[in-house]
Structure formats: structure tokens, C-alpha cells
């Protein structure tokens, strides 16, 4: 805490929380666009938070991406999390397996000593497949578990970066540009006002479901994500944001 005071981070956290209307903001030093250890520091802060918030027999739903993966990597065996079930917030979104919510949920369980459940749903479902799958008993059961989640941990991405990483069609890339998409979370793309401009067909927690979640934690840093982080509020309604100095300063000074 002393170091933080010296660098004026407490102030940065307070200002950002006020500006984005969040309960709590945690800022780690540096820019995760430039150095990987900054993402690891965000991961550490996330792991610490999950430990502090642990509750008996809770469900924690996690989304995908490298930042939430780094939270998983930093988790350690914790008595308080032994009774926790980690679940993926959504089915496949077109990420490589290490970045998929399923994999990250299992990694969190493995690292913390908790349990996990998986949900095997491919990305890019057709209308027909979506409506068939959603009626499957296994999927129904998973959705029920998901909707009982007490905590949700998710990343936030820059819209174009995410669409490209997920090998989206040129049509979608164009549409996102036209509609002014700046960010992405849970597979939802949104503009600078926090309005959804595109949603995929993946199965899992919907934004409406998030309303019953006790604590929503967003983890995202790097100046390249400043616009996305600044606009995620109305979309996912995070209570706590873990970010880095570069994103925090860009949001406060340049947007
Ligand atoms: O939904 C957001 C993205 O998954 C964020 O991914 O943490 O790898 O930037 P990232």
C-alpha cells in the first residue's frame, strides 16, 4: 500500500472509479500492451480478490482471454475456494483452447483446489443448431448452474483485435467498423456509448443474467483497451475493475 501511495495510485483508482461509476478499481503499475509481467500483476490482483471474496459452495463463472487466463495462472491452493465450482460463462467464441472459458475454469479449479464443470458448445452456431442445443438437458443444467453464479470474472477486448483473433468474417469486421464498435466482452461487441452493436450466437450467461450476480469483476489493461474499458460499464455493469496504469491514465487524460 505504501508504494501505491508514493506513486499516487490510490488517487488514480479513486478517480477512475468515480468517472466510470464503479464500486472499486484496482490499478497495477505499467502497460500490459508493452510488457507481459503487467498482465501477470493484474492476474495476481484478480487471484487475490477471488481469495478474499471466497464464500462456501459458491459458483464462479469465468470468461475467456489472456487476461482472465493470467488470473487463473496466479491462483494458489486456498481452503476458502475448495468448495467453489468454476464454470465457463459462455460456450466457444472461436478462441484457441488455452483462451477458452472452459479451459480457464478448469485451470482455476486445478490451481485453487476447487471444482469445475465444463460446457461443450462450439462457436459460430447456426440458428438451427443453437435452438436444438439449448434444449439439451446437459446444457439446461449448465445454464442453471451458471445463473446461480455469485461471482463473474471477465476480460474486455478491443473490438477489432478480438474480431480478428477469433477469425471473424470480413463482413463482420466491416459491420463492426461501421457501427463504431470499440470493445468486446462475453462475445458482445459494443460502441463508445456502451450500446451493443453485435452479439454472437454462443450459449451461456447473457447480459440480462448478470443482474443477479453479486460481484462482477472485469480484468483488462493496456492503453489499446482504454476505449473498450471506458465503455464496458453499461454493458457488463462490473462492480470491480482490475486494470493497469496505462489504461487508467489514457481513460482519465485522453478520452
Ligand atoms: O472478451 C474479452 C477478451 O477475451 C479479452 O481478451 O484478455 O486476451 O485481451 P484478452
Amino acid at each position: 500500500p505504501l508504494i501505491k501511495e508514493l506513486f499516487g495510485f490510490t488517487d488514480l483508482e479513486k478517480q477512475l472509479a468515480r468517472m466510470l461509476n464503479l464500486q472499486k478499481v484496482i490499478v497495477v503499475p505499467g502497460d500490459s500492451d508493452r510488457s507481459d509481467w503487467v498482465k501477470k500483476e493484474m492476474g495476481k490482483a484478480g487471484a487475490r480478490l477471488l481469495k478474499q471474496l471466497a464464500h462456501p459452495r459458491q459458483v464462479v463463472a469465468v470468461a475467456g482471454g489472456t487476461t482472465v487466463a493470467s488470473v487463473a495462472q496466479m491462483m494458489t491452493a486456498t481452503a476458502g475456494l475448495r468448495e467453489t465450482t468454476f464454470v465457463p460463462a459462455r460456450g466457444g467464441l472461436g478462441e484457441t483452447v488455452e483462451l477458452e472459458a472452459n479451459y480457464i475454469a478448469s485451470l482455476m479449479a486445478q490451481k485453487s483446489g476447487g471444482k469445475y464443470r465444463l460446457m461443450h458448445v462450439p462457436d459460430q452456431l447456426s440458428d438451427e443448431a443453437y435452438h436444438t442445443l439449448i434444449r439439451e438437458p446437459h446444457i439446461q443444467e449448465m445454464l442453471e448452474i451458471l445463473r446461480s453464479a455469485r461471482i463473474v470474472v471477465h476480460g474486455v477486448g478491443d473490438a477489432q483485435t478480438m474480431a480478428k483473433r477469433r477469425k471473424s468474417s470480413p463482413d463482420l469486421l466491416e459491420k463492426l467498423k461501421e457501427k463504431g464498435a470499440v470493445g468486446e466482452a462475453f462475445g458482445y461487441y459494443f460502441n463508445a456509448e456502451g450500446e451493443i452493436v453485435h452479439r454472437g450466437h454462443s450459449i451461456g450467461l447473457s447480459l440480462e443474467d448478470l443482474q443477479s450476480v453479486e460481484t462482477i469483476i472485469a480484468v483488462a489493461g493496456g492503453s489499446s483497451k482504454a476505449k473498450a474499458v471506458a465503455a464496458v460499464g453499461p454493458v457488463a455493469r462490473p462492480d470491480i475493475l482490475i486494470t493497469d496504469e496505462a489504461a487508467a491514465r489514457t481513460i482519465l487524460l485522453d478520452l
Side-chain angles (χ1 to χ4, degrees):
L2 182 65
I3 299 283
K4 271 194 170 182
E5 296 296 338
L6 288 174
F7 286 98
F9 275 44
T10 313
D11 223 37
L12 208 55
E13 290 170 343
K14 278 195 189 134
Q15 281 185 48
L16 200 58
R18 204 176 315 127
M19 180 174 175
L20 301 180
N21 198 14
L22 303 171
Q23 207 182 88
K24 187 182 167 78
V25 172
I26 298 169
V27 176
V28 307
D31 183 351
S32 49
D33 284 347
R34 288 161 186 261
S35 96
D36 224 32
W37 69 256
V38 180
K39 199 173 274 180
K40 292 199 174 104
E41 285 302 314
M42 286 194 287
K44 245 188 231 170
R48 202 178 306 128
L49 195 60
L50 284 175
K51 207 179 220 180
Q52 285 164 359
L53 294 174
H55 222 259
R57 288 179 299 283
Q58 65 176 359
V59 171
V60 174
V62 299
T66 57
T67 322
V68 182
S70 98
V71 176
Q73 289 292 358
M74 291 301 168
M75 292 178 77
T76 50
T78 306
L81 288 170
R82 254 202 313 257
E83 298 280 293
T84 292
T85 305
F86 294 91
V87 291
R90 309 208 56 146
L93 292 171
E95 299 272 23
T96 51
V97 72
E98 294 81 5
L99 303 184
E100 263 186 26
N102 261 332
Y103 177 81
I104 295 173
S106 76
L107 189 61
M108 283 195 178
Q110 185 200 324
K111 294 268 184 186
S112 67
K115 309 177 201 341
Y116 68 91
R117 296 284 303 263
L118 299 180
M119 183 168 64
H120 296 290
V121 182
D123 52 282
Q124 300 185 11
L125 291 173
S126 66
D127 266 5
E128 202 186 338
Y130 174 85
H131 290 292
T132 309
L133 260 178
I134 202 141
R135 284 198 301 267
E136 284 291 322
H138 157 75
I139 300 288
Q140 285 290 334
E141 190 197 339
M142 271 307 288
L143 285 174
E144 214 164 288
I145 298 175
L146 263 181
R147 291 190 182 122
S148 73
R150 183 175 163 259
I151 297 176
V152 169
V153 186
H154 71 89
V156 182
D158 164 71
Q160 287 291 323
T161 309
M162 291 314 300
K164 283 181 197 146
R165 188 167 96 190
R166 290 170 181 163
K167 305 205 170 40
S168 305
S169 66
D171 278 1
L172 180 58
L173 290 174
E174 196 48 44
K175 176 186 166 188
L176 291 174
K177 240 183 233 157
E178 257 166 43
K179 301 214 163 177
V182 298
E184 183 276 346
F186 294 103
Y188 292 84
Y189 288 87
F190 51 90
N191 65 18
E193 277 70 51
E195 295 158 345
I196 308 291
V197 297
H198 174 78
R199 59 171 77 188
H201 243 345
S202 127
I203 290 176
L205 273 190
S206 67
L207 296 181
E208 296 76 45
D209 294 328
L210 292 180
Q211 286 175 8
S212 55
V213 176
E214 206 171 298
T215 308
I216 300 173
I217 305 168
V219 204
S223 46
S224 65
K225 288 190 186 180
K227 279 190 184 146
V229 172
V232 78
V235 182
R237 306 207 173 281
D239 301 288
I240 304 176
L241 166 70
I242 300 172
T243 189
D244 63 16
E245 190 184 349
R249 292 200 195 281
T250 310
I251 294 171
L252 285 167
L253 303 173
D254 298 338
L255 294 189

